[in-house]
Amino acid sequence: MDKKILATESLDEFIDALIEMHGLNPLNRYLLNLLFEIKKDIPLQTKKFLALCLSLLDDGNTRISLDKAQFTAVWTKKWNGLVTLRISSTDEEMSESNFATASDFDEIISDGIQDILTDDFSAIMESRDSDEISVEDEFGKPFVLAKRPSGKHLYFTKHFDAKCVIEKSAKKLFKNGHKPAGDEIENCINKIASICKPFANGSSFTIKNRQAEAIIRGQTENLVITGGPGTGKTTVVLYILWNLLESHSEMLDWNIYLAAPSGKAADRMRESLIDGLSRIRDEKKTGENARIFRKLNELESSTIHRLLRFSKSKGGFTFNRDEQFPQKSIFVIDEASMIDIEMFAALLEAIPEGARLFILGDPFQLPSVESGAVLGEILKVKSGTDFSVKLNESNRFDDKSNIGKLAGEIKLVAETKDSANFIPHKFTGSGALANELDGNISSSPDTTKFKDQVFFRRLETDNATLSKKEEDKRIDLFIAEWARDFAKLPELAEDIHPDRTGTEADDPDHRETARRNEIWQLSLTKRILCAERRGLRGIENINKKVCSKIKSLWKAHQKSQGEAVEWSDTGYFPGQLLIITKNQEMFKLYNGDTGIVIFDGNTPYIMLKKTPSRINDEGTQRRDDFIFYPLSVLPEDAITTAFAITIHKSQGSEYNHVTMFLPTRIGHPLLTNQILYTGVTRAKKSVTIIANDETFKAAVTTISERDTGISL
């Protein structure tokens, strides 16, 4: 969008240009047209301003400040990011001079705010004097204009109502807690150790003090339990549930609901609880405790959407504020950072006062794809009420973890909002095809004391700016080296037979099972994570390069063996990694599930490994067989290549080795603290960050914040 389009008298041209800049969801064109039909006398400048408001609401904000200085600051950051994104995502060489500047919008912003605050917009906006849920019917006005001493804000009505629901429900469900005494903590730690099997080396299973605090408080309080990867949030919940059922036998007849915003997250929570149950001593599962073990072992998990039971006939959820869940219920909600404001509100208002509720999450990960950042907001309690426990010791990232140190430093900047003094830790970094970063980030002389590694790579040489063509060549070189570890995928895939069940009759020598496990483990060893979808460093370009390289390596290998390779015309090849991008409820496949392409003749299948089932009668954990689905039964837009995935899609996953491509331009909207933290914490053994020192520091010190207006 240039200055000419900005000043156009055609609203359609203005909206088209904003959509082309990826600054406005195309669906919002219809909402704008509807608004202008309802109120026909809106001046052109104000119409353009309302388009800017919808653009900011598209970013996950649930309210927009109508203070000119505040609006201008938010829009300036947004517009500069859009320009940067447009330049980054195209293969052409472009300059910022091709675009309007943020200051060119000044007149639109001034006129729009003044008009909305002084003219009569009651046809499309409802003024609210208090934070109360709308009593109007479903055909109510789309916007709320909230005028408070703290400022004037424009909300979508649905978001304002959701905010009010969350505030009201949270005050009912969460009460002020207490800190347990030292002897209570010690007794809890000893009790958990007594019911759990010791490790192979004879040492006891020992929980941390904060975990014990949460377990103790969970006996009498509803809690929000936060912590990073490996801090044991689901471990805490398991022992909260165990102790509750042990101390209150009547709760054995209560409903226990396990839910998460995605099917994948729900399955992971269930898997984690089963892992915890497998640690409990056999003698603790018998007698009076047999019912406790059986109840927890038989729990199922679901998405929050399925838990609330959407009804087409009702046009809403079956469980709601008028028809709540039974009071004798316990709810465990995981990955709460991913829950948007409307779903959070729908969940809380369906839970009756008196039920037990445990919400788990990491507020420093990426927020929900839809509007809001509710987990972070409800933790900012202004009333002084204490209903949260923060787990701050990670079993995965301890004092010998470079990855943990880096993640901690990234998180500290987000916690303190102090970026001026950020000096990254000295990590290891070396290797071919890339140079170490200069400046503050360098290699450490002593790597032996660390159990994992952090590498920094830049594609530039001598801090020179690369042309698009030069950058693409350097990415080619990097991918050529990276893909070598996956060169064996086609060979392994060709030896797997989808028609075999994996049972003893079909696989008496266990070779088929061994081959499946081998390729599955190989597929999980490494992944490329990208902030962007398009552009040279986006998943589309990188996946294309990885597939091409693996196929060429396999062809070369077969040629050296005197064999020819003929790929099918399906567009897939054996060993190709795929990810589900849309839920397929019929097959219990969920957004984020990954699999491997296996052929049966000329028919491509996707092979996946199902979530572990409950513990069997022998007291051991049984894993379900691998499952296969013909790719023809899945919609084409519900599946894509997964050697490289977006950092958003990686949430909740773990890989031994992660390579992360960061955007190349300062001010890019995806060059943020949350993006970096989420990507880094997906790695278990090593993480390689492709960035230079300026873009890396910009990512750490740029904290993306959403304005939701929630106040507790």
Side-chain angles (χ1 to χ4, degrees):
M1 182 187 288
D2 56 23
K3 291 184 181 180
K4 181 180 177 182
I5 294 294
L6 196 65
T8 182
E9 293 295 314
S10 169
L11 182 64
D12 286 338
E13 284 188 10
F14 180 83
I15 292 174
D16 286 342
L18 203 54
I19 291 172
E20 186 180 359
M21 289 291 294
H22 297 288
L24 188 67
N25 187 321
L27 292 176
N28 279 331
R29 176 200 301 279
Y30 302 104
L31 175 57
L32 287 167
N33 288 335
L34 177 61
L35 294 176
F36 305 150
E37 282 294 317
I38 297 172
K39 181 172 173 56
K40 298 181 182 295
D41 58 344
I42 302 177
L44 178 61
Q45 290 288 80
T46 306
K47 289 180 178 179
K48 291 181 179 180
F49 174 73
L50 286 171
L52 301 189
C53 289
L54 293 190
S55 177
L56 293 178
L57 289 169
D58 280 346
D59 289 345
N61 299 296
T62 61
R63 67 177 186 174
I64 304 298
S65 173
L66 295 181
D67 174 84
K68 182 179 182 297
Q70 292 183 35
F71 188 100
T72 299
V74 176
W75 178 254
T76 297
K77 183 177 180 180
K78 162 99 179 193
W79 180 252
N80 291 341
L82 290 175
V83 171
T84 300
L85 182 62
R86 181 66 182 276
I87 294 172
S88 299
S89 61
T90 180
D91 294 336
E92 304 172 10
E93 297 290 347
M94 298 182 72
S95 168
E96 291 182 8
S97 61
N98 293 57
F99 304 91
T101 65
S103 61
D104 293 327
F105 290 85
D106 189 69
E107 187 176 339
I108 293 173
I109 295 171
S110 297
D111 292 350
I113 290 177
Q114 182 179 1
D115 193 28
I116 286 176
L117 293 179
T118 57
D119 202 355
D120 180 11
F121 278 79
S122 59
I124 60 174
M125 295 180 192
E126 179 187 353
S127 292
R128 299 275 185 92
D129 297 326
S130 61
D131 290 348
E132 294 295 332
I133 302 168
S134 174
V135 295
E136 295 193 18
D137 61 23
E138 61 189 63
F139 300 107
K141 297 161 188 176
F143 290 108
V144 164
L145 181 59
K147 296 180 180 180
R148 302 288 186 273
S150 58
K152 303 175 181 67
H153 292 87
L154 185 67
Y155 290 82
F156 273 134
T157 301
K158 61 183 181 179
H159 292 156
F160 186 89
D161 286 347
K163 170 190 105 73
C164 296
V165 166
I166 291 170
E167 291 171 344
K168 184 177 180 180
S169 299
K171 288 173 184 176
K172 286 183 178 180
L173 293 168
F174 296 107
K175 308 299 182 184
N176 194 32
H178 75 284
K179 299 288 184 182
D183 59 338
E184 291 181 279
I185 295 286
E186 184 177 353
N187 290 339
C188 180
I189 292 173
N190 291 336
K191 178 182 178 180
I192 301 305
S194 71
I195 67 174
C196 290
K197 299 172 185 174
F199 293 108
N201 62 6
S203 61
S204 299
F205 177 81
T206 306
I207 59 173
K208 308 293 192 299
N209 282 8
R210 287 283 181 89
Q211 289 179 296
E213 177 189 335
I215 293 169
I216 295 167
R217 292 181 60 181
Q219 303 311 296
T220 56
E221 304 171 34
N222 291 343
L223 290 175
V224 177
I225 303 169
T226 67
T231 52
K233 296 185 291 294
T234 48
T235 296
V236 162
V237 165
L238 171 62
Y239 297 117
I240 287 176
L241 295 176
W242 185 278
N243 285 352
L244 278 174
L245 298 180
E246 186 179 53
S247 303
H248 305 278
S249 58
E250 71 278 7
M251 285 190 175
L252 285 164
D253 296 321
W254 284 32
N255 301 304
I256 301 179
Y257 302 102
L258 310 178
S262 71
K264 181 181 178 183
D267 282 349
R268 283 197 313 271
M269 173 170 50
R270 170 68 186 141
E271 179 180 357
S272 180
L273 288 174
I274 288 295
D275 285 340
L277 282 173
S278 68
R279 288 195 299 265
I280 293 178
R281 296 173 186 266
D282 293 339
E283 62 269 23
K284 298 295 182 179
K285 304 173 187 175
T286 59
E288 295 181 357
N289 288 343
R291 285 186 65 197
I292 299 174
F293 177 80
R294 186 165 57 252
K295 186 174 183 69
L296 297 179
N297 188 40
E298 293 175 353
L299 291 178
E300 299 292 342
S301 60
S302 73
T303 63
I304 298 171
H305 191 273
R306 278 187 288 143
L307 174 68
L308 295 172
R309 296 184 190 174
F310 183 80
S311 169
K312 290 183 180 180
S313 61
K314 294 183 178 180
F317 292 117
T318 299
F319 292 108
N320 51 54
R321 64 185 167 201
D322 297 320
E323 298 181 40
Q324 295 181 315
F325 287 96
Q327 189 176 49
K328 295 180 178 181
S329 300
I330 302 173
F331 298 85
V332 181
I333 311 299
D334 200 6
E335 296 287 3
S337 66
M338 298 166 59
I339 309 174
D340 66 82
I341 190 169
E342 291 181 80
M343 187 62 77
F344 224 122
L347 173 67
L348 292 188
E349 71 176 350
I351 297 176
E353 189 172 5
R356 303 305 313 276
L357 173 62
F358 305 101
I359 295 176
L360 319 180
D362 183 353
F364 299 100
Q365 287 196 70
L366 287 164
S368 61
V369 175
E370 302 298 330
S371 297
V374 181
L375 179 63
E377 289 290 291
I378 64 176
L379 293 172
K380 300 174 185 176
V381 181
K382 297 176 182 177
S383 65
T385 304
D386 177 18
F387 53 77
S388 67
V389 177
K390 177 182 176 182
L391 307 182
N392 56 4
E393 294 182 75
S394 174
N395 292 311
R396 192 198 309 173
F397 301 135
D398 56 22
D399 291 340
K400 294 184 178 180
S401 168
N402 265 321
I403 297 173
K405 289 179 182 294
L406 176 59
E409 289 165 7
I410 295 168
K411 186 169 69 172
L412 182 63
V413 173
E415 281 183 304
T416 62
K417 304 295 189 293
D418 180 11
S419 60
N421 299 318
F422 171 71
I423 299 177
H425 183 73
K426 305 294 184 180
F427 297 105
T428 62
S430 61
L433 300 178
N435 298 310
E436 295 173 18
L437 286 173
D438 299 323
N440 289 328
I441 306 171
S442 60
S443 59
S444 169
D446 182 8
T447 64
T448 58
K449 65 180 181 179
F450 295 108
K451 67 179 184 181
D452 54 35
Q453 293 179 302
V454 174
F455 297 96
F456 293 90
R457 300 284 185 265
R458 58 182 173 85
L459 300 181
E460 307 91 335
T461 57
D462 300 325
N463 293 320
T465 301
L466 297 175
S467 68
K468 296 275 187 180
K469 188 174 182 180
E470 291 169 333
E471 183 179 0
D472 197 41
K473 286 182 179 179
R474 291 182 181 253
I475 292 174
D476 268 334
L477 288 173
F478 186 89
I479 294 302
E481 184 64 28
W482 185 91
R484 291 187 181 279
D485 290 337
F486 280 157
K488 196 178 180 183
L489 283 172
E491 176 186 358
L492 294 173
E494 288 187 334
D495 284 338
I496 292 173
H497 306 282
D499 58 327
R500 297 184 183 174
T501 64
T503 61
E504 192 71 24
D506 266 358
D507 188 26
D509 56 6
H510 302 289
R511 289 184 182 179
E512 178 72 21
T513 301
R515 286 192 294 263
R516 294 178 184 184
N517 280 311
E518 182 180 3
I519 194 172
W520 189 256
Q521 291 306 314
L522 175 59
S523 75
L524 297 177
T525 55
K526 59 196 295 187
R527 200 70 87 239
I528 292 175
L529 305 183
C530 304
E532 302 168 279
R533 181 170 297 280
R534 291 174 290 274
L536 296 180
R537 299 189 181 204
I539 60 168
E540 293 174 358
N541 183 53
I542 289 178
N543 272 322
K544 183 179 178 180
K545 291 180 183 297
V546 173
C547 289
S548 176
K549 186 60 182 178
I550 290 176
K551 289 196 286 188
S552 67
L553 288 171
W554 179 238
K555 283 183 178 180
H557 171 76
Q558 292 298 83
K559 185 177 180 180
S560 69
Q561 303 295 315
E563 299 179 15
V565 176
E566 292 185 8
W567 303 109
S568 74
D569 58 2
T570 63
Y572 299 104
F573 66 89
Q576 184 176 352
L577 304 189
L578 300 177
I579 185 169
I580 304 294
T581 57
K582 294 181 180 178
N583 291 342
Q584 302 299 306
E585 295 283 356
M586 181 185 300
F587 306 112
K588 294 188 177 180
L589 299 179
Y590 304 111
N591 188 354
D593 285 344
T594 57
I596 306 168
V597 174
I598 305 294
F599 275 79
D600 184 12
N602 293 322
T603 303
Y605 286 74
I606 181 172
M607 181 183 87
L608 306 101
K609 196 167 190 179
K610 293 182 69 175
T611 305
S613 67
R614 57 181 62 93
I615 299 171
N616 63 22
D617 293 337
E618 286 72 41
T620 58
Q621 186 174 327
R622 179 179 61 81
R623 293 185 179 271
D624 289 336
D625 296 333
F626 289 93
I627 56 173
F628 297 82
Y629 292 106
L631 285 169
S632 59
V633 304
L634 301 175
E636 289 186 10
D637 64 348
I639 198 162
T640 190
T641 304
F643 294 102
I645 60 176
T646 63
I647 296 171
H648 278 85
K649 286 286 186 199
S650 75
Q651 286 193 93
S653 299
E654 296 176 9
Y655 307 100
N656 288 339
H657 308 284
V658 164
T659 296
M660 182 163 43
F661 279 88
L662 294 183
T664 59
R665 295 175 65 88
I666 306 297
H668 192 291
L670 296 176
L671 193 65
T672 68
N673 183 285
Q674 291 95 325
I675 284 277
L676 185 60
Y677 174 80
T678 302
V680 165
T681 53
R682 300 310 95 203
K684 293 193 289 186
K685 293 184 179 179
S686 76
V687 59
T688 300
I689 301 170
I690 310 294
N692 58 43
D693 50 352
E694 290 85 8
T695 53
F696 172 72
K697 187 168 184 178
V700 175
T701 57
T702 302
I703 301 155
S704 178
E705 295 186 281
R706 291 178 173 180
D707 192 357
T708 64
I710 294 173
S711 179
L712 297 181

